[in-house]
Amino acid sequence: MKANEFKAYKGIRKESLRDNMTDIEVALTDLGEIATRELAKEHKPYGLEQNKKIAKMGGHAAKVARDDIEKNLGKSVITRKNALKYQYIDEVKKIV
């Protein structure tokens, strides 16, 4: 999912997405980012298209890890559960 889709899935508005991820969600995100960074160091991409290819490779590493974890757990590791417990209060001003 894209960040805005993931925020909608978790039901958060302005809060930090990472602050509302479970430990496994953060770990998988970090894995994808670190793998992408290391691949970029190794392959030295030039231009947008080459960088997009490297980013997809890094994301694939996280996807493989996620698929393996979910296979062994027997359930999805992506959840609507938020690490922080926000309760929205709609801003309705009352005139007294």
Side-chain angles (χ1 to χ4, degrees):
M1 285 185 234
K2 293 181 180 176
N4 59 348
E5 295 169 331
F6 200 38
K7 275 185 154 185
Y9 179 76
K10 286 194 167 276
I12 57 177
R13 296 178 188 171
K14 296 179 182 179
E15 301 77 27
S16 166
L17 181 55
R18 193 173 287 256
D19 287 346
N20 285 281
M21 290 181 175
T22 62
D23 291 342
I24 193 81
E25 291 168 337
V26 171
L28 290 170
T29 301
D30 287 345
L31 176 61
E33 291 171 355
I34 292 166
T36 300
R37 188 171 58 238
E38 292 302 314
L39 287 163
K41 284 180 189 175
E42 185 67 28
H43 295 282
K44 297 178 181 43
Y46 179 78
L48 180 62
E49 291 307 313
Q50 288 181 9
N51 276 288
K52 283 165 79 173
K53 184 178 177 184
I54 295 295
K56 284 185 184 275
M57 290 167 63
H60 180 72
K63 182 184 181 333
V64 169
R66 175 187 169 189
D67 290 344
D68 188 54
I69 293 166
E70 289 179 342
K71 180 179 139 196
N72 290 314
L73 284 175
K75 64 179 183 177
S76 178
V77 295
I78 306 303
T79 176
R80 290 185 186 273
K81 182 179 113 182
N82 293 330
L84 301 176
K85 305 292 183 206
Y86 287 103
Q87 188 169 17
Y88 292 111
I89 300 171
D90 290 325
E91 292 102 23
V92 178
K93 293 184 179 180
K94 294 181 182 181
I95 300 175
V96 181

mmCIF file of all heavy atoms in Angstrom, residues 16-65:
data_model
loop_
_atom_site.group_PDB
_atom_site.id
_atom_site.type_symbol
_atom_site.label_atom_id
_atom_site.label_comp_id
_atom_site.label_asym_id
_atom_site.label_seq_id
_atom_site.Cartn_x
_atom_site.Cartn_y
_atom_site.Cartn_z
ATOM 1 N N SER A 16 1.571 10.461 12.696
ATOM 2 C CA SER A 16 2.656 9.771 12.011
ATOM 3 C C SER A 16 2.265 8.319 11.749
ATOM 4 O O SER A 16 1.817 7.610 12.657
ATOM 5 C CB SER A 16 3.913 9.809 12.878
ATOM 6 O OG SER A 16 4.858 8.896 12.409
ATOM 7 N N LEU A 17 2.439 7.898 10.525
ATOM 8 C CA LEU A 17 2.120 6.522 10.177
ATOM 9 C C LEU A 17 3.020 5.558 10.935
ATOM 10 O O LEU A 17 2.564 4.574 11.509
ATOM 11 C CB LEU A 17 2.264 6.312 8.667
ATOM 12 C CG LEU A 17 1.939 4.936 8.133
ATOM 13 C CD1 LEU A 17 0.545 4.495 8.535
ATOM 14 C CD2 LEU A 17 2.078 4.917 6.620
ATOM 15 N N ARG A 18 4.307 5.846 10.962
ATOM 16 C CA ARG A 18 5.259 4.962 11.640
ATOM 17 C C ARG A 18 4.941 4.832 13.134
ATOM 18 O O ARG A 18 5.095 3.762 13.708
ATOM 19 C CB ARG A 18 6.679 5.462 11.437
ATOM 20 C CG ARG A 18 7.734 4.451 11.821
ATOM 21 C CD ARG A 18 9.111 4.938 11.434
ATOM 22 N NE ARG A 18 9.325 4.870 10.013
ATOM 23 C CZ ARG A 18 10.061 3.941 9.412
ATOM 24 N NH1 ARG A 18 10.650 3.010 10.118
ATOM 25 N NH2 ARG A 18 10.217 3.955 8.112
ATOM 26 N N ASP A 19 4.488 5.909 13.757
ATOM 27 C CA ASP A 19 4.130 5.849 15.175
ATOM 28 C C ASP A 19 2.940 4.934 15.436
ATOM 29 O O ASP A 19 2.717 4.512 16.561
ATOM 30 C CB ASP A 19 3.790 7.242 15.715
ATOM 31 C CG ASP A 19 5.011 8.119 15.885
ATOM 32 O OD1 ASP A 19 6.140 7.587 15.837
ATOM 33 O OD2 ASP A 19 4.844 9.340 16.060
ATOM 34 N N ASN A 20 2.173 4.647 14.412
ATOM 35 C CA ASN A 20 0.979 3.827 14.560
ATOM 36 C C ASN A 20 1.145 2.420 13.992
ATOM 37 O O ASN A 20 0.179 1.688 13.847
ATOM 38 C CB ASN A 20 -0.211 4.519 13.899
ATOM 39 C CG ASN A 20 -0.702 5.666 14.742
ATOM 40 O OD1 ASN A 20 -1.401 5.463 15.717
ATOM 41 N ND2 ASN A 20 -0.289 6.873 14.405
ATOM 42 N N MET A 21 2.364 2.057 13.666
ATOM 43 C CA MET A 21 2.631 0.713 13.162
ATOM 44 C C MET A 21 2.963 -0.225 14.311
ATOM 45 O O MET A 21 3.511 0.197 15.326
ATOM 46 C CB MET A 21 3.818 0.725 12.194
ATOM 47 C CG MET A 21 3.563 1.388 10.882
ATOM 48 S SD MET A 21 5.078 1.279 9.880
ATOM 49 C CE MET A 21 4.504 1.970 8.356
ATOM 50 N N THR A 22 2.650 -1.494 14.108
ATOM 51 C CA THR A 22 3.071 -2.512 15.072
ATOM 52 C C THR A 22 4.565 -2.753 14.872
ATOM 53 O O THR A 22 5.157 -2.309 13.881
ATOM 54 C CB THR A 22 2.306 -3.831 14.856
ATOM 55 O OG1 THR A 22 2.603 -4.334 13.543
ATOM 56 C CG2 THR A 22 0.803 -3.639 15.010
ATOM 57 N N ASP A 23 5.179 -3.465 15.797
ATOM 58 C CA ASP A 23 6.615 -3.729 15.703
ATOM 59 C C ASP A 23 6.985 -4.430 14.404
ATOM 60 O O ASP A 23 7.988 -4.094 13.767
ATOM 61 C CB ASP A 23 7.086 -4.573 16.890
ATOM 62 C CG ASP A 23 7.054 -3.816 18.201
ATOM 63 O OD1 ASP A 23 7.005 -2.566 18.171
ATOM 64 O OD2 ASP A 23 7.084 -4.471 19.256
ATOM 65 N N ILE A 24 6.199 -5.401 13.998
ATOM 66 C CA ILE A 24 6.513 -6.157 12.778
ATOM 67 C C ILE A 24 6.349 -5.280 11.538
ATOM 68 O O ILE A 24 7.130 -5.372 10.592
ATOM 69 C CB ILE A 24 5.686 -7.461 12.683
ATOM 70 C CG1 ILE A 24 6.246 -8.376 11.598
ATOM 71 C CG2 ILE A 24 4.238 -7.203 12.409
ATOM 72 C CD1 ILE A 24 7.418 -9.165 12.039
ATOM 73 N N GLU A 25 5.365 -4.381 11.540
ATOM 74 C CA GLU A 25 5.179 -3.463 10.413
ATOM 75 C C GLU A 25 6.373 -2.518 10.282
ATOM 76 O O GLU A 25 6.868 -2.272 9.178
ATOM 77 C CB GLU A 25 3.881 -2.669 10.566
ATOM 78 C CG GLU A 25 2.633 -3.508 10.399
ATOM 79 C CD GLU A 25 1.356 -2.805 10.819
ATOM 80 O OE1 GLU A 25 1.419 -1.857 11.641
ATOM 81 O OE2 GLU A 25 0.296 -3.195 10.323
ATOM 82 N N VAL A 26 6.859 -2.018 11.411
ATOM 83 C CA VAL A 26 8.030 -1.136 11.405
ATOM 84 C C VAL A 26 9.260 -1.904 10.922
ATOM 85 O O VAL A 26 10.038 -1.402 10.100
ATOM 86 C CB VAL A 26 8.286 -0.522 12.802
ATOM 87 C CG1 VAL A 26 9.618 0.215 12.842
ATOM 88 C CG2 VAL A 26 7.161 0.414 13.194
ATOM 89 N N ALA A 27 9.436 -3.123 11.411
ATOM 90 C CA ALA A 27 10.595 -3.926 11.020
ATOM 91 C C ALA A 27 10.599 -4.197 9.515
ATOM 92 O O ALA A 27 11.646 -4.105 8.867
ATOM 93 C CB ALA A 27 10.612 -5.245 11.793
ATOM 94 N N LEU A 28 9.442 -4.514 8.958
ATOM 95 C CA LEU A 28 9.364 -4.764 7.521
ATOM 96 C C LEU A 28 9.616 -3.490 6.715
ATOM 97 O O LEU A 28 10.273 -3.530 5.670
ATOM 98 C CB LEU A 28 8.019 -5.383 7.158
ATOM 99 C CG LEU A 28 7.818 -6.821 7.650
ATOM 100 C CD1 LEU A 28 6.371 -7.253 7.454
ATOM 101 C CD2 LEU A 28 8.767 -7.776 6.947
ATOM 102 N N THR A 29 9.117 -2.369 7.206
ATOM 103 C CA THR A 29 9.366 -1.087 6.548
ATOM 104 C C THR A 29 10.862 -0.771 6.567
ATOM 105 O O THR A 29 11.443 -0.390 5.545
ATOM 106 C CB THR A 29 8.571 0.042 7.240
ATOM 107 O OG1 THR A 29 7.191 -0.281 7.175
ATOM 108 C CG2 THR A 29 8.821 1.388 6.588
ATOM 109 N N ASP A 30 11.472 -0.963 7.724
ATOM 110 C CA ASP A 30 12.915 -0.729 7.847
ATOM 111 C C ASP A 30 13.703 -1.648 6.917
ATOM 112 O O ASP A 30 14.662 -1.221 6.282
ATOM 113 C CB ASP A 30 13.382 -0.930 9.285
ATOM 114 C CG ASP A 30 12.949 0.183 10.221
ATOM 115 O OD1 ASP A 30 12.527 1.254 9.727
ATOM 116 O OD2 ASP A 30 13.024 -0.016 11.447
ATOM 117 N N LEU A 31 13.310 -2.911 6.852
ATOM 118 C CA LEU A 31 13.995 -3.862 5.980
ATOM 119 C C LEU A 31 13.953 -3.388 4.531
ATOM 120 O O LEU A 31 14.979 -3.398 3.832
ATOM 121 C CB LEU A 31 13.373 -5.256 6.099
ATOM 122 C CG LEU A 31 13.936 -6.314 5.158
ATOM 123 C CD1 LEU A 31 15.420 -6.531 5.420
ATOM 124 C CD2 LEU A 31 13.163 -7.608 5.296
ATOM 125 N N GLY A 32 12.791 -2.967 4.070
ATOM 126 C CA GLY A 32 12.674 -2.473 2.701
ATOM 127 C C GLY A 32 13.534 -1.249 2.452
ATOM 128 O O GLY A 32 14.195 -1.137 1.409
ATOM 129 N N GLU A 33 13.551 -0.327 3.414
ATOM 130 C CA GLU A 33 14.346 0.892 3.265
ATOM 131 C C GLU A 33 15.840 0.599 3.278
ATOM 132 O O GLU A 33 16.598 1.132 2.460
ATOM 133 C CB GLU A 33 13.993 1.884 4.376
ATOM 134 C CG GLU A 33 12.595 2.460 4.242
ATOM 135 C CD GLU A 33 12.161 3.275 5.451
ATOM 136 O OE1 GLU A 33 12.906 3.322 6.461
ATOM 137 O OE2 GLU A 33 11.073 3.862 5.387
ATOM 138 N N ILE A 34 16.271 -0.254 4.192
ATOM 139 C CA ILE A 34 17.694 -0.588 4.302
ATOM 140 C C ILE A 34 18.157 -1.374 3.075
ATOM 141 O O ILE A 34 19.227 -1.118 2.531
ATOM 142 C CB ILE A 34 17.972 -1.361 5.607
ATOM 143 C CG1 ILE A 34 17.750 -0.426 6.801
ATOM 144 C CG2 ILE A 34 19.387 -1.930 5.619
ATOM 145 C CD1 ILE A 34 17.669 -1.138 8.140
ATOM 146 N N ALA A 35 17.344 -2.326 2.635
ATOM 147 C CA ALA A 35 17.689 -3.103 1.441
ATOM 148 C C ALA A 35 17.816 -2.177 0.235
ATOM 149 O O ALA A 35 18.765 -2.309 -0.561
ATOM 150 C CB ALA A 35 16.635 -4.183 1.186
ATOM 151 N N THR A 36 16.904 -1.220 0.095
ATOM 152 C CA THR A 36 16.956 -0.269 -1.016
ATOM 153 C C THR A 36 18.226 0.565 -0.950
ATOM 154 O O THR A 36 18.910 0.765 -1.962
ATOM 155 C CB THR A 36 15.713 0.645 -1.003
ATOM 156 O OG1 THR A 36 14.547 -0.180 -1.133
ATOM 157 C CG2 THR A 36 15.752 1.657 -2.130
ATOM 158 N N ARG A 37 18.566 1.042 0.240
ATOM 159 C CA ARG A 37 19.774 1.857 0.406
ATOM 160 C C ARG A 37 21.035 1.062 0.039
ATOM 161 O O ARG A 37 21.912 1.561 -0.674
ATOM 162 C CB ARG A 37 19.863 2.376 1.837
ATOM 163 C CG ARG A 37 20.979 3.372 2.051
ATOM 164 C CD ARG A 37 20.948 4.045 3.406
ATOM 165 N NE ARG A 37 21.022 3.088 4.496
ATOM 166 C CZ ARG A 37 20.102 2.974 5.461
ATOM 167 N NH1 ARG A 37 19.041 3.747 5.474
ATOM 168 N NH2 ARG A 37 20.249 2.092 6.427
ATOM 169 N N GLU A 38 21.117 -0.182 0.491
ATOM 170 C CA GLU A 38 22.284 -1.008 0.190
ATOM 171 C C GLU A 38 22.366 -1.347 -1.300
ATOM 172 O O GLU A 38 23.448 -1.366 -1.881
ATOM 173 C CB GLU A 38 22.274 -2.282 1.039
ATOM 174 C CG GLU A 38 22.495 -2.028 2.515
ATOM 175 C CD GLU A 38 23.806 -1.301 2.814
ATOM 176 O OE1 GLU A 38 24.857 -1.681 2.265
ATOM 177 O OE2 GLU A 38 23.773 -0.335 3.611
ATOM 178 N N LEU A 39 21.216 -1.630 -1.908
ATOM 179 C CA LEU A 39 21.189 -1.903 -3.349
ATOM 180 C C LEU A 39 21.629 -0.675 -4.142
ATOM 181 O O LEU A 39 22.346 -0.789 -5.137
ATOM 182 C CB LEU A 39 19.792 -2.349 -3.782
ATOM 183 C CG LEU A 39 19.393 -3.764 -3.363
ATOM 184 C CD1 LEU A 39 17.886 -3.943 -3.475
ATOM 185 C CD2 LEU A 39 20.135 -4.794 -4.204
ATOM 186 N N ALA A 40 21.206 0.500 -3.687
ATOM 187 C CA ALA A 40 21.600 1.739 -4.369
ATOM 188 C C ALA A 40 23.104 1.971 -4.254
ATOM 189 O O ALA A 40 23.753 2.402 -5.217
ATOM 190 C CB ALA A 40 20.824 2.923 -3.796
ATOM 191 N N LYS A 41 23.680 1.661 -3.090
ATOM 192 C CA LYS A 41 25.133 1.803 -2.925
ATOM 193 C C LYS A 41 25.879 0.868 -3.881
ATOM 194 O O LYS A 41 26.893 1.239 -4.464
ATOM 195 C CB LYS A 41 25.540 1.465 -1.490
ATOM 196 C CG LYS A 41 25.230 2.521 -0.475
ATOM 197 C CD LYS A 41 25.691 2.047 0.892
ATOM 198 C CE LYS A 41 25.228 2.946 2.004
ATOM 199 N NZ LYS A 41 25.595 2.405 3.334
ATOM 200 N N GLU A 42 25.362 -0.334 -4.013
ATOM 201 C CA GLU A 42 26.024 -1.347 -4.845
ATOM 202 C C GLU A 42 25.867 -1.078 -6.338
ATOM 203 O O GLU A 42 26.823 -1.183 -7.100
ATOM 204 C CB GLU A 42 25.458 -2.727 -4.502
ATOM 205 C CG GLU A 42 26.139 -3.870 -5.204
ATOM 206 C CD GLU A 42 27.582 -4.071 -4.766
ATOM 207 O OE1 GLU A 42 27.924 -3.739 -3.610
ATOM 208 O OE2 GLU A 42 28.367 -4.575 -5.595
ATOM 209 N N HIS A 43 24.650 -0.750 -6.766
ATOM 210 C CA HIS A 43 24.362 -0.615 -8.189
ATOM 211 C C HIS A 43 24.519 0.806 -8.735
ATOM 212 O O HIS A 43 24.541 0.997 -9.945
ATOM 213 C CB HIS A 43 22.948 -1.133 -8.493
ATOM 214 C CG HIS A 43 22.806 -2.597 -8.248
ATOM 215 N ND1 HIS A 43 23.278 -3.540 -9.127
ATOM 216 C CD2 HIS A 43 22.258 -3.279 -7.217
ATOM 217 C CE1 HIS A 43 23.015 -4.747 -8.660
ATOM 218 N NE2 HIS A 43 22.409 -4.618 -7.495
ATOM 219 N N LYS A 44 24.598 1.781 -7.830
ATOM 220 C CA LYS A 44 24.759 3.190 -8.211
ATOM 221 C C LYS A 44 23.814 3.604 -9.353
ATOM 222 O O LYS A 44 24.252 3.933 -10.456
ATOM 223 C CB LYS A 44 26.206 3.466 -8.582
ATOM 224 C CG LYS A 44 27.167 3.265 -7.420
ATOM 225 C CD LYS A 44 28.595 3.497 -7.834
ATOM 226 C CE LYS A 44 29.581 3.293 -6.727
ATOM 227 N NZ LYS A 44 29.430 2.182 -5.854
ATOM 228 N N PRO A 45 22.512 3.582 -9.071
ATOM 229 C CA PRO A 45 21.554 3.931 -10.125
ATOM 230 C C PRO A 45 21.670 5.403 -10.521
ATOM 231 O O PRO A 45 22.056 6.249 -9.712
ATOM 232 C CB PRO A 45 20.202 3.654 -9.469
ATOM 233 C CG PRO A 45 20.454 3.824 -8.010
ATOM 234 C CD PRO A 45 21.866 3.344 -7.796
ATOM 235 N N TYR A 46 21.317 5.675 -11.770
ATOM 236 C CA TYR A 46 21.356 7.037 -12.287
ATOM 237 C C TYR A 46 19.994 7.342 -12.889
ATOM 238 O O TYR A 46 19.504 6.617 -13.748
ATOM 239 C CB TYR A 46 22.453 7.179 -13.347
ATOM 240 C CG TYR A 46 22.532 8.561 -13.936
ATOM 241 C CD1 TYR A 46 23.149 9.592 -13.240
ATOM 242 C CD2 TYR A 46 21.981 8.828 -15.176
ATOM 243 C CE1 TYR A 46 23.225 10.864 -13.775
ATOM 244 C CE2 TYR A 46 22.044 10.098 -15.720
ATOM 245 C CZ TYR A 46 22.668 11.115 -15.012
ATOM 246 O OH TYR A 46 22.727 12.375 -15.541
ATOM 247 N N GLY A 47 19.382 8.391 -12.427
ATOM 248 C CA GLY A 47 18.096 8.809 -12.977
ATOM 249 C C GLY A 47 16.916 8.141 -12.282
ATOM 250 O O GLY A 47 17.056 7.190 -11.514
ATOM 251 N N LEU A 48 15.758 8.677 -12.573
ATOM 252 C CA LEU A 48 14.533 8.235 -11.913
ATOM 253 C C LEU A 48 14.197 6.772 -12.197
ATOM 254 O O LEU A 48 13.879 6.016 -11.280
ATOM 255 C CB LEU A 48 13.361 9.131 -12.333
ATOM 256 C CG LEU A 48 12.006 8.785 -11.720
ATOM 257 C CD1 LEU A 48 12.056 8.916 -10.202
ATOM 258 C CD2 LEU A 48 10.923 9.671 -12.303
ATOM 259 N N GLU A 49 14.286 6.358 -13.435
ATOM 260 C CA GLU A 49 13.885 4.989 -13.791
ATOM 261 C C GLU A 49 14.765 3.945 -13.106
ATOM 262 O O GLU A 49 14.265 2.936 -12.600
ATOM 263 C CB GLU A 49 13.891 4.797 -15.311
ATOM 264 C CG GLU A 49 12.795 5.567 -16.017
ATOM 265 C CD GLU A 49 11.400 5.297 -15.461
ATOM 266 O OE1 GLU A 49 11.053 4.117 -15.258
ATOM 267 O OE2 GLU A 49 10.661 6.272 -15.230
ATOM 268 N N GLN A 50 16.065 4.174 -13.081
ATOM 269 C CA GLN A 50 16.964 3.228 -12.417
ATOM 270 C C GLN A 50 16.716 3.213 -10.905
ATOM 271 O O GLN A 50 16.755 2.155 -10.278
ATOM 272 C CB GLN A 50 18.421 3.565 -12.718
ATOM 273 C CG GLN A 50 18.832 3.255 -14.138
ATOM 274 C CD GLN A 50 20.287 3.579 -14.405
ATOM 275 O OE1 GLN A 50 21.051 3.880 -13.490
ATOM 276 N NE2 GLN A 50 20.675 3.539 -15.676
ATOM 277 N N ASN A 51 16.440 4.375 -10.323
ATOM 278 C CA ASN A 51 16.152 4.438 -8.888
ATOM 279 C C ASN A 51 14.838 3.746 -8.563
ATOM 280 O O ASN A 51 14.714 3.107 -7.516
ATOM 281 C CB ASN A 51 16.146 5.893 -8.408
ATOM 282 C CG ASN A 51 17.538 6.379 -8.085
ATOM 283 O OD1 ASN A 51 18.115 5.982 -7.084
ATOM 284 N ND2 ASN A 51 18.091 7.210 -8.957
ATOM 285 N N LYS A 52 13.850 3.862 -9.444
ATOM 286 C CA LYS A 52 12.581 3.165 -9.225
ATOM 287 C C LYS A 52 12.795 1.649 -9.243
ATOM 288 O O LYS A 52 12.211 0.924 -8.441
ATOM 289 C CB LYS A 52 11.558 3.576 -10.294
ATOM 290 C CG LYS A 52 10.960 4.952 -10.044
ATOM 291 C CD LYS A 52 10.238 5.511 -11.246
ATOM 292 C CE LYS A 52 8.882 4.988 -11.493
ATOM 293 N NZ LYS A 52 8.169 5.701 -12.582
ATOM 294 N N LYS A 53 13.649 1.189 -10.134
ATOM 295 C CA LYS A 53 13.953 -0.244 -10.215
ATOM 296 C C LYS A 53 14.606 -0.729 -8.920
ATOM 297 O O LYS A 53 14.243 -1.780 -8.385
ATOM 298 C CB LYS A 53 14.866 -0.507 -11.416
ATOM 299 C CG LYS A 53 15.161 -1.961 -11.641
ATOM 300 C CD LYS A 53 16.031 -2.157 -12.873
ATOM 301 C CE LYS A 53 16.385 -3.620 -13.035
ATOM 302 N NZ LYS A 53 17.310 -3.842 -14.154
ATOM 303 N N ILE A 54 15.546 0.044 -8.405
ATOM 304 C CA ILE A 54 16.218 -0.303 -7.150
ATOM 305 C C ILE A 54 15.220 -0.303 -5.994
ATOM 306 O O ILE A 54 15.240 -1.189 -5.143
ATOM 307 C CB ILE A 54 17.385 0.668 -6.867
ATOM 308 C CG1 ILE A 54 18.476 0.515 -7.928
ATOM 309 C CG2 ILE A 54 17.944 0.482 -5.465
ATOM 310 C CD1 ILE A 54 19.183 -0.817 -7.955
ATOM 311 N N ALA A 55 14.324 0.679 -5.962
ATOM 312 C CA ALA A 55 13.312 0.759 -4.904
ATOM 313 C C ALA A 55 12.395 -0.461 -4.946
ATOM 314 O O ALA A 55 12.029 -1.017 -3.902
ATOM 315 C CB ALA A 55 12.503 2.038 -5.035
ATOM 316 N N LYS A 56 12.032 -0.910 -6.130
ATOM 317 C CA LYS A 56 11.197 -2.107 -6.259
ATOM 318 C C LYS A 56 11.937 -3.343 -5.755
ATOM 319 O O LYS A 56 11.347 -4.215 -5.129
ATOM 320 C CB LYS A 56 10.748 -2.302 -7.703
ATOM 321 C CG LYS A 56 9.646 -1.349 -8.115
ATOM 322 C CD LYS A 56 9.156 -1.660 -9.518
ATOM 323 C CE LYS A 56 8.141 -0.651 -9.965
ATOM 324 N NZ LYS A 56 6.796 -0.939 -9.547
ATOM 325 N N MET A 57 13.236 -3.406 -6.009
ATOM 326 C CA MET A 57 14.034 -4.536 -5.529
ATOM 327 C C MET A 57 14.077 -4.550 -4.002
ATOM 328 O O MET A 57 13.952 -5.606 -3.374
ATOM 329 C CB MET A 57 15.446 -4.464 -6.106
ATOM 330 C CG MET A 57 15.516 -4.733 -7.597
ATOM 331 S SD MET A 57 17.101 -4.292 -8.356
ATOM 332 C CE MET A 57 18.224 -5.392 -7.525
ATOM 333 N N GLY A 58 14.249 -3.373 -3.396
ATOM 334 C CA GLY A 58 14.261 -3.279 -1.934
ATOM 335 C C GLY A 58 12.915 -3.643 -1.337
ATOM 336 O O GLY A 58 12.834 -4.356 -0.335
ATOM 337 N N GLY A 59 11.842 -3.178 -1.970
ATOM 338 C CA GLY A 59 10.501 -3.523 -1.520
ATOM 339 C C GLY A 59 10.224 -5.007 -1.661
ATOM 340 O O GLY A 59 9.528 -5.606 -0.832
ATOM 341 N N HIS A 60 10.792 -5.612 -2.689
ATOM 342 C CA HIS A 60 10.613 -7.055 -2.894
ATOM 343 C C HIS A 60 11.239 -7.853 -1.749
ATOM 344 O O HIS A 60 10.680 -8.860 -1.308
ATOM 345 C CB HIS A 60 11.216 -7.472 -4.233
ATOM 346 C CG HIS A 60 11.079 -8.929 -4.511
ATOM 347 N ND1 HIS A 60 9.869 -9.515 -4.821
ATOM 348 C CD2 HIS A 60 11.984 -9.933 -4.498
ATOM 349 C CE1 HIS A 60 10.046 -10.811 -4.991
ATOM 350 N NE2 HIS A 60 11.328 -11.082 -4.798
ATOM 351 N N ALA A 61 12.386 -7.390 -1.255
ATOM 352 C CA ALA A 61 13.028 -8.070 -0.124
ATOM 353 C C ALA A 61 12.108 -8.075 1.091
ATOM 354 O O ALA A 61 11.948 -9.096 1.776
ATOM 355 C CB ALA A 61 14.355 -7.386 0.222
ATOM 356 N N ALA A 62 11.457 -6.942 1.352
ATOM 357 C CA ALA A 62 10.520 -6.860 2.482
ATOM 358 C C ALA A 62 9.290 -7.721 2.224
ATOM 359 O O ALA A 62 8.767 -8.358 3.141
ATOM 360 C CB ALA A 62 10.112 -5.411 2.722
ATOM 361 N N LYS A 63 8.826 -7.783 0.991
ATOM 362 C CA LYS A 63 7.654 -8.597 0.652
ATOM 363 C C LYS A 63 7.934 -10.074 0.865
ATOM 364 O O LYS A 63 7.102 -10.806 1.398
ATOM 365 C CB LYS A 63 7.222 -8.354 -0.791
ATOM 366 C CG LYS A 63 5.983 -9.150 -1.173
ATOM 367 C CD LYS A 63 5.632 -8.987 -2.611
ATOM 368 C CE LYS A 63 4.402 -9.716 -3.061
ATOM 369 N NZ LYS A 63 3.998 -10.893 -2.371
ATOM 370 N N VAL A 64 9.113 -10.524 0.460
ATOM 371 C CA VAL A 64 9.485 -11.928 0.649
ATOM 372 C C VAL A 64 9.508 -12.262 2.144
ATOM 373 O O VAL A 64 8.993 -13.304 2.570
ATOM 374 C CB VAL A 64 10.844 -12.229 -0.022
ATOM 375 C CG1 VAL A 64 11.375 -13.594 0.381
ATOM 376 C CG2 VAL A 64 10.716 -12.126 -1.529
ATOM 377 N N ALA A 65 10.095 -11.364 2.934
ATOM 378 C CA ALA A 65 10.139 -11.577 4.388
ATOM 379 C C ALA A 65 8.725 -11.609 4.962
ATOM 380 O O ALA A 65 8.389 -12.474 5.780
ATOM 381 C CB ALA A 65 10.964 -10.479 5.056
#
